[in-house]
Amino acid sequence: MLEPTMIHHQVAPFFERRVTGHYRVQLRMDAADAPVAVFLRSEPDNEERLVPMDLIAEHGRYRVYTAELTPNPAAAVTVYAFKALWANRQCWLDAAGVSPRMPLRERFFRVNTEESPPDWVPDQVFYQIFPERFRNGDPALSPRSGAYVLRDDGPIRAKAWGEPIDPQHPNSEFYGGDLIGVRQSLDYLQDLGVTAIYLNPIFTSPSVHKYDTEDFAHVDPYLGGDAALADLRAATVGRGIRILLDAVFNHTSDTHPWFNRWGTHPDKGAYQDVAAPFRSAYTFHDAADPDSYHCWQGSKVLPVLDLGDPQVRAYLIDGEHAIARHWLRPPYCVDGWRIDVAHMMGEGTGARHNDRVLRALRLAIKDESPRAYVLGEHFGEATRWLQGDQEDAAMNYYGFSHPVRAFLAGQDVNYHPITVDAADFDQWLTDARSRIPYANQLCQFNLLGSHDTARFLTLIGEDPGLMRLALLLLFTYPGVPCIYYGDEIGMTGGNDPYNRACFDWDPKHWDQDLRTWVQTLAGLRRDHPALRRGAYQTLLAVGDLFACARILGDEVIMLILNRALDPRSGVRIPLVGLPGSAARLAVLVGDCPWGLGGDILSVDLGGKEALLLRGQLSEVPG
């Protein structure tokens, strides 16, 4: 027996908050297979409540049902699902789809009634910048060879812009990129369609990557110091460009004065003296052995902070002048924080009370700047951090970049081979998307790659067709897209350090077609609210073929793609899952033949080809 058509999205008009604080929810079902009863199932006191839904209208092929959802007064997150009854069967609709029985609670639709992500985030196109390798704006600031010794790596080395990276000394080679260079590149970024910048760490640090912070209170002088950030902020405000900083609060550098492993600061640190003022900021497994300190992933240059220590908490999070607050204030007024290794932060070792630490950090950030974006870094599945009380969103490795990499590049997060077809790909996306409130899904930080991964173009063997498909998914899937610097001009590179090469500022070396493609996609996202705030619906997922839709009001945008090298003729995409009949279709991207007959869209796709259509939905009651 075919599953019945049951449609609910967590956007208007399906889901609307009332002045009472309750929600008006709407469900649409196929009128040709009408149930005898429909219920809204919720748990306002952790016990099942079945509320009969009212049939309010019939529009074309659909019956429209509504009911009022009462929030759970005992929890921030309210869950709900729908139950439909026929004479001899029942079906349920949850956030992951239709099932013939009551689904697991983790699949229910969910909404956080107390915490909402910032309303500005879904409208952005982010661009990630690794500052030291993006642009040298002031050569007078650049480090000179031998200016200092980087631990046992020896004297630092200054290199000419674009010179090959030495894999034996990647963290002590400086090319001179700085925040002045970022400010000088704002015209370029705006022309590309960028509206927000995510900066890798910029605070004082001895290394190139700066995840080993030596001074949280100041921008590294080689990047231009505090004044350069203030100038960048002033320049971006007039352009409407947001800035996101990297918060590396899980650990410090071993050169931080609190720790002072190498004796580069005048006062003894935790490494040198058990009576040092900040000894309790770190964990030593053997008090008599200074080398027994707890460090990040075994890296001795990154001693982990005990975020249960009152001094640490006051300095970074809780204090009136805490670092988490400081950079949200004038003259910097940054728009949020990306929390490095958010899942690893804790009290003592083993990320103990991680949720308590992250809630405190979120509270401090939101208290200082209610519309600040709190973004967590997680390489794995991140459901528990994304219920609205800890993070607004995550770097969406698990829910976007990993499945896209598997589908298009045939590699998993560890660069191991993996084979998934379109159905597997869709299930992966659904599993991740359906377990968090949709408001947070719209703020998920979608990316193809970053400073921690090989460049996507390299992963796919520099295949331009697959790169175009990947970018099309990036700009059309729910969440906010982020371009890793240089991806738009065709930069390649394997894993660290080769993914952190200097941006090539010679336009003659750029892949101009790829850059134009990014500009086109950014423009489409800007012009069509459905791509930024619309509901999502999979239309087809079989073999190499994948089709989906974004829906907002009466606008529908449909993506159809073929990842295979071989063409596919007569591809039939059923549109019965849409909340109305699609009409007045127009092509946004692509030039392959297509036709619409009733509720079937027929398409002839070339190899590694995609079609993006915009249409208007009829029979869309409010």
Side-chain angles (χ1 to χ4, degrees):
M1 181 177 293
L2 295 176
E3 292 180 344
T5 300
M6 302 177 71
I7 302 172
H8 172 74
H9 301 300
Q10 286 190 301
V11 301
F14 291 91
F15 187 80
E16 296 177 302
R17 187 161 189 167
R18 305 175 77 87
V19 294
T20 60
H22 293 195
Y23 294 84
R24 177 182 179 266
V25 297
Q26 183 185 115
L27 177 72
R28 298 181 194 176
M29 298 194 65
D30 190 345
D33 187 22
V36 297
V38 180
F39 300 93
L40 170 67
R41 198 270 192 194
S42 62
E43 300 177 355
D45 51 5
N46 295 328
E47 178 67 23
E48 177 181 76
R49 175 180 294 179
L50 287 176
V51 176
M53 299 189 73
D54 296 323
L55 174 63
I56 63 166
E58 285 197 31
H59 289 271
R61 63 174 180 261
Y62 292 118
R63 284 188 165 197
V64 182
Y65 300 85
T66 64
E68 188 170 87
L69 173 65
T70 301
N72 187 343
V77 175
T78 292
V79 300
Y80 65 98
F82 301 93
K83 180 180 184 180
L85 290 179
W86 288 262
N88 60 351
R89 74 187 201 277
Q90 62 181 255
C91 278
W92 292 71
L93 176 67
D94 57 54
V98 177
S99 60
R101 59 175 176 83
M102 181 189 292
L104 293 171
R105 190 177 189 275
E106 67 183 26
R107 287 170 50 117
F108 279 29
F109 292 102
R110 55 193 58 230
V111 58
N112 191 309
T113 60
E114 297 177 5
E115 299 281 350
S116 299
D119 59 1
W120 56 268
V121 174
D123 294 326
Q124 307 310 307
V125 172
F126 271 88
Y127 190 87
Q128 180 187 349
I129 292 176
F130 194 83
E132 213 282 324
R133 303 289 166 79
F134 184 59
R135 188 169 192 164
N136 187 330
D138 185 355
L141 295 173
S142 302
R144 303 292 183 247
S145 292
Y148 59 89
V149 174
L150 181 60
R151 306 179 179 93
D152 52 5
D153 201 35
I156 65 167
R157 291 169 292 282
K159 301 189 73 171
W161 194 260
E163 189 178 348
I165 294 171
D166 179 358
Q168 301 303 313
H169 303 280
N171 295 323
S172 58
E173 296 185 322
F174 289 81
Y175 293 82
D178 52 38
L179 296 186
I180 292 85
V182 176
R183 177 166 52 82
Q184 293 171 351
S185 305
L186 292 179
D187 283 345
Y188 169 86
L189 296 176
Q190 259 193 315
D191 181 63
L192 188 64
V194 170
T195 62
I197 300 168
Y198 155 44
L199 296 170
N200 282 108
I202 61 172
F203 303 125
T204 303
S205 157
S207 74
V208 166
H209 58 73
K210 306 208 175 301
Y211 282 94
D212 52 344
T213 311
E214 190 169 307
D215 183 357
F216 293 94
H218 293 288
V219 175
D220 195 291
Y222 290 124
L223 295 179
D226 298 353
L229 179 60
D231 289 345
L232 176 61
R233 171 76 285 184
T236 56
V237 166
R239 298 170 181 260
I241 294 177
R242 307 276 183 167
I243 295 178
L244 186 70
L245 295 187
D246 217 325
V248 188
F249 294 166
N250 178 69
H251 46 262
T252 67
S253 171
D254 61 350
T255 63
H256 193 288
W258 291 356
F259 198 78
N260 202 15
R261 179 185 178 195
W262 303 93
T264 50
H265 300 282
D267 297 328
K268 290 184 177 181
Y271 181 84
Q272 302 151 314
D273 188 348
V274 296
F278 282 90
R279 175 79 175 194
S280 62
Y282 305 91
T283 299
F284 291 82
H285 299 291
D286 179 352
D289 180 5
D291 287 315
S292 70
Y293 58 91
H294 182 55
C295 53
W296 181 80
Q297 299 285 77
S299 175
K300 302 302 284 188
V301 305
L302 300 174
V304 170
L305 288 167
D306 180 353
L307 288 162
D309 181 77
Q311 296 179 101
V312 175
R313 285 286 293 266
Y315 180 74
L316 291 176
I317 300 173
D318 295 335
E320 180 183 353
H321 301 290
I323 296 300
R325 293 176 178 270
H326 173 73
W327 299 102
L328 297 169
R329 295 172 175 169
Y332 315 107
C333 298
V334 300
D335 296 287
W337 289 101
R338 176 263 193 188
I339 313 299
D340 184 56
V341 295
H343 50 285
M344 301 182 75
M345 297 167 64
E347 300 174 1
T349 61
R352 284 183 296 173
H353 302 303
N354 171 260
D355 57 343
R356 183 161 68 189
V357 170
L358 286 176
R359 287 189 182 100
L361 178 56
R362 177 187 177 85
L363 180 63
I365 292 171
K366 297 291 186 176
D367 180 65
E368 188 64 43
S369 180
R371 299 180 73 231
Y373 185 32
V374 180
L375 174 69
E377 181 204 20
H378 306 276
F379 258 82
E381 190 264 323
T383 297
R384 60 177 161 157
W385 291 279
L386 295 172
Q387 300 306 305
D389 61 331
Q390 297 180 55
E391 301 167 0
D392 293 318
M395 295 186 77
N396 202 14
Y397 286 108
Y398 181 80
F400 181 79
S401 56
H402 292 179
V404 170
R405 179 193 291 195
F407 186 58
L408 296 181
Q411 297 183 46
D412 71 6
V413 61
N414 296 308
Y415 306 95
H416 296 156
I418 183 173
T419 300
V420 299
D421 63 11
D424 300 322
F425 174 61
D426 177 56
Q427 189 62 58
W428 193 336
L429 294 173
T430 300
D431 286 344
R433 184 182 65 250
S434 62
R435 284 164 168 76
I436 65 175
Y438 197 66
N440 295 90
Q441 174 62 49
L442 291 174
C443 294
Q444 284 283 73
F445 197 84
N446 294 337
L447 64 166
L448 296 176
S450 72
H451 63 293
D452 284 326
T453 69
R455 288 191 179 267
F456 196 81
L457 191 56
T458 296
L459 289 176
I460 56 176
E462 302 185 26
D463 186 316
L466 290 180
M467 190 66 184
R468 287 170 65 89
L469 294 184
L471 287 164
L472 191 51
L473 285 166
L474 178 67
F475 278 84
T476 57
Y477 189 71
V480 55
C482 180
I483 297 291
Y484 184 47
Y485 81 98
D487 277 2
E488 76 280 8
I489 60 170
M491 284 183 66
T492 57
N495 212 345
D496 179 16
Y498 304 106
N499 55 353
R500 303 176 180 182
C502 295
F503 189 100
D504 187 343
W505 285 99
D506 186 347
K508 293 192 297 293
H509 299 158
W510 296 354
D511 183 334
Q512 296 288 0
D513 289 340
L514 186 59
R515 186 174 182 276
T516 299
W517 182 243
V518 173
Q519 286 177 307
T520 297
L521 296 176
L524 288 173
R525 185 176 169 84
R526 179 189 63 242
D527 295 340
H528 297 282
L531 292 177
R532 308 193 305 270
R533 299 175 178 273
Y536 171 88
Q537 180 65 48
T538 299
L539 301 175
L540 179 72
V542 58
D544 296 309
L545 301 168
F546 180 74
C548 61
R550 299 294 304 278
I551 307 139
L552 189 64
D554 65 353
E555 181 181 47
V556 58
I557 295 179
M558 293 178 283
L559 167 66
I560 307 99
L561 67 83
N562 171 27
R563 72 167 177 180
L565 177 61
D566 298 329
R568 296 289 189 269
S569 299
V571 177
R572 292 167 60 85
I573 298 106
L575 305 183
V576 292
L578 297 177
S581 296
R584 300 173 63 182
L585 297 186
V587 175
L588 297 178
V589 167
D591 57 6
C592 53
W594 62 275
L596 179 64
D599 290 326
I600 298 294
L601 177 67
S602 298
V603 181
D604 294 338
L605 290 166
K608 301 175 187 176
E609 187 173 23
L611 180 68
L612 194 68
L613 297 174
R614 178 191 183 277
Q616 184 175 349
L617 294 177
S618 59
E619 307 153 10
V620 184

